[in-house]
Amino acid sequence: MRSYAAHVIAAALLIAVFPLAAQTTANSNGQRHRERPRPSNLQVLPKDISAQDLIATMHGYEHALGVECSFCHAQNPQTHRLDFASDANPHKNTARTMIRMVNEINTKYLATADEDAPADARQATCGTCHRGNKMPPPFVAPAREEHGPSPSK
Ligand code: HEC
Ligand code: HEC
């Protein structure tokens, strides 16, 4: 009876502790952190993208659009935490269209650009149009001193 109780307690402890152990890993600095689950709903980004590259990509979107994760990712109504795999937020699918567009601009068109052009000009990014805004701002041509050909030339 006694050893049965001990087994029950041991099993309960294992169940309580194991999920934490499975979710925590040491990173290169030896710090403990919670590991995100493997992505389950990637339709455009490479399915084998590393967790590090995925998060770096997401931070890039945040900076390019001047938004937080929640601009594209819906909240789970029960847990009130962001459910990254969910497609409930329509901005996420808009972003997918944008990712496809930028990939196509780069691989189909800018790949053939003049090699003398600066490297960053031959690579379109979200920031190329968005410039830190949710909606790309209208282009306003800088004021010029003169219009038309200069009379002295
Ligand atoms: C501009 C919109 C946008 C922003 C901002 C954004 N994401 Fe995403 N995120 C996406 C899109 C689109 C996908 C799906 C990509 C695909 O289908 O290949 C995605 C996918 C993910 C996934 C994979 C989910 C799965 O299981 O498939 C994670 C995790 C994630 N994002 C985390 C984040 C975090 C963390 C932030 C904030 C730091 C963030 N995202 C900000 C658009 C965004
Ligand atoms: C060639 C210019 C261009 C590039 C590059 C671009 N976008 Fe956009 N984006 C737009 C335009 C124009 C709109 C507004 C029209 C629309 O919503 O479809 C927009 C709208 C959006 C919206 C919806 C914003 C809202 O408030 O409804 C999201 C999200 C978005 N873009 C994400 C991205 C992401 C992520 C990237 C990079 C992968 C990107 N865009 C690259 C032009 C661009």
Side-chain angles (χ1 to χ4, degrees):
M1 201 56 198
R2 215 177 177 189
S3 77
Y4 172 77
H7 274 103
V8 169
I9 289 165
L13 275 173
L14 263 179
I15 289 162
V17 168
F18 187 73
L20 282 175
Q23 282 177 11
T24 10
T25 50
N27 68 13
S28 51
N29 304 321
Q31 291 164 332
R32 313 286 290 178
H33 69 100
R34 275 191 81 203
E35 207 171 77
R36 290 182 195 280
R38 282 299 308 154
S40 58
N41 189 18
L42 294 185
Q43 297 174 23
V44 188
L45 295 173
K47 294 211 195 302
D48 60 352
I49 191 169
S50 71
Q52 214 177 356
D53 286 352
L54 179 64
I55 291 306
T57 303
M58 295 299 149
H59 283 305
Y61 299 159
E62 279 191 314
H63 297 146
L65 273 72
V67 296
E68 303 288 330
C69 314
S70 59
F71 183 68
C72 296
H73 291 288
Q75 223 180 36
N76 178 316
Q78 267 95 51
T79 62
H80 300 289
R81 299 182 62 176
L82 292 182
D83 178 356
F84 293 110
S86 161
D87 289 342
N89 182 333
H91 286 152
K92 188 180 177 188
N93 258 324
T94 304
R96 281 195 175 108
T97 306
M98 297 275 155
I99 300 166
R100 288 193 179 99
M101 173 184 73
V102 170
N103 285 346
E104 192 167 341
I105 291 173
N106 285 326
T107 57
K108 200 167 162 188
Y109 301 102
L110 289 183
T112 67
D114 190 337
E115 284 186 13
D116 294 338
D120 59 352
R122 285 187 277 130
Q123 184 76 44
T125 66
C126 310
T128 304
C129 295
H130 283 267
R131 303 193 172 260
N133 305 278
K134 290 172 194 164
M135 277 290 168
F139 172 68
V140 180
R144 290 191 303 174
E145 297 283 308
E146 293 168 300
H147 293 276
S150 159
S152 60
K153 280 183 193 153

